[in-house]
Amino acid sequence: MSDFSLADLAKIIASKRGADAAQSYTKSLFEAGTHRIAKKFGEEAVETVIAAMEGDRKNLTSEAADTLYHLLVLLEAGGVTLAEVLAELETRTVQSGHAEKASRGERK
């Protein structure tokens, strides 16, 4: 297992903003805009859910990787850093998930 992290991937994605779209899928997503990136993220998330429901471990792994990648592209396009998301998650660990959701007025 390598030491590759989501932070590493986020840095690679950020570096692709200056790439040539003909050579970089990531750059082509940035050029297509947030709407297209969000749509692609949604598609990958649905594919991840389907793989999980089918119990297909290999496909779940692959689709989860696609989902994480597209989420990080979406965050970069929106100007939100992975560190900000992790900080938000950290604040939520001080209470139970049910209590945290209740504090935001969400139902189970």
Side-chain angles (χ1 to χ4, degrees):
M1 191 78 185
S2 74
D3 290 331
F4 187 75
S5 70
L6 289 178
D8 294 331
L9 181 57
K11 287 177 190 173
I12 292 168
I13 289 168
S15 76
K16 298 296 183 175
R17 282 193 174 271
D20 177 5
Q23 302 297 317
S24 170
Y25 173 69
T26 304
K27 176 63 174 188
S28 69
L29 285 173
F30 286 132
E31 286 188 355
T34 302
H35 183 267
R36 174 70 179 128
I37 298 167
K39 182 178 176 185
K40 190 65 181 164
F41 168 69
E43 291 169 1
E44 297 300 343
V46 168
E47 290 171 3
T48 301
V49 169
I50 292 167
M53 291 175 66
E54 291 176 345
D56 185 338
R57 188 176 190 284
K58 183 177 180 183
N59 198 33
L60 177 57
T61 300
S62 178
E63 295 300 342
D66 289 346
T67 301
L68 289 171
Y69 162 78
H70 286 91
L71 174 58
L72 291 176
V73 174
L74 185 59
L75 292 173
E76 175 69 22
V80 176
T81 67
L82 180 59
E84 290 173 291
V85 174
L86 293 175
E88 175 65 21
L89 287 170
E90 184 177 26
T91 65
R92 295 178 183 193
T93 63
V94 298
Q95 57 187 328
S96 78
H98 294 302
E100 191 280 326
K101 285 183 84 169
S103 73
R104 290 187 283 146
E106 295 184 20
R107 294 187 176 163
K108 293 182 190 176

